[in-house]
Amino acid sequence: MLTARILKALFLYAIALPAMAAEHVQSTASYEAAIGNLSTAPSYVMVTIADANTGLERQTCTTANFLAGAIHFEYGLGYDHAGLKRATELALSNTSHRFVFTKQAALNNVSIEFTPQDLRDVRTWLAPVSNQELMAGAHPWTDRDTPYAGRRYRSAVACVLIERGLSPYMADLTGQVVVAGSKDIPVHAPSQAPAQH
């Protein structure tokens, strides 16, 4: 009985993934700026990752350097000037921001760590905060004391910020998600997070 319920849940989860693939789109300017950011504080991109082996796809946010790494793995590109240039060209020419990968190393480089429920929780958590407050305030939700500690939530936070028209990047020393133009202050969020599911 339990096995049947688990299989049904997995089946419903699997067929729901493609439906969520293009829920939001990052602006062209934000996406191109993220791809062009070669600093030690990489910008986030919102992309759809499709696994050609399983047919599953889902929208996620990852740093542009991780996306470039996945492109390198998929196409067997080197890390010399020519390989870096080609990876950038492939990323920029993909105007749909949907990437189909066949190689496991490429898929692993842009693995999706947050769940759809995590994303909904982060949206709820940040909903009361205006974009102006997001640009001006600070709250390190990645600290161990917060309910949203850990790398998987950073990507979910980045997705919510991109959905709201902002351009987040990862701070090079702390790994926190920072909004471009916010004077390098980590994003503000309410101190009380929604209940975990």
Side-chain angles (χ1 to χ4, degrees), residues 141-176:
W141 60 81
T142 52
D143 282 353
R144 285 180 223 160
D145 298 338
T146 69
Y148 295 119
R151 191 170 115 183
R152 86 179 202 208
Y153 291 112
R154 291 177 188 167
S155 296
V157 168
C159 276
V160 172
L161 296 174
I162 291 171
E163 289 171 6
R164 292 175 63 164
L166 300 171
S167 297
Y169 65 94
M170 182 184 292
D172 57 357
L173 295 178
T174 65
Q176 290 180 322

Side-chain angles (χ1 to χ4, degrees), residues 65-135:
N65 59 332
F66 278 15
L67 175 63
I71 292 169
H72 277 271
F73 284 127
E74 184 68 19
Y75 294 95
L77 301 175
Y79 288 90
D80 56 358
H81 178 73
L84 295 171
K85 182 179 177 189
R86 182 66 182 137
T88 300
E89 288 170 352
L90 288 167
L92 290 174
S93 66
N94 187 327
T95 57
S96 70
H97 305 175
R98 179 180 178 271
F99 293 85
V100 180
F101 295 123
T102 61
K103 296 182 179 170
Q104 194 59 49
L107 291 162
N108 290 346
N109 218 60
V110 287
S111 62
I112 301 169
E113 298 177 341
F114 63 90
T115 67
Q117 185 61 51
D118 292 336
L119 187 59
R120 287 190 291 272
D121 287 344
V122 171
R123 283 184 187 132
T124 300
W125 188 38
L126 292 177
V129 185
S130 71
N131 278 8
Q132 291 74 23
E133 290 171 312
L134 287 168
M135 296 289 286

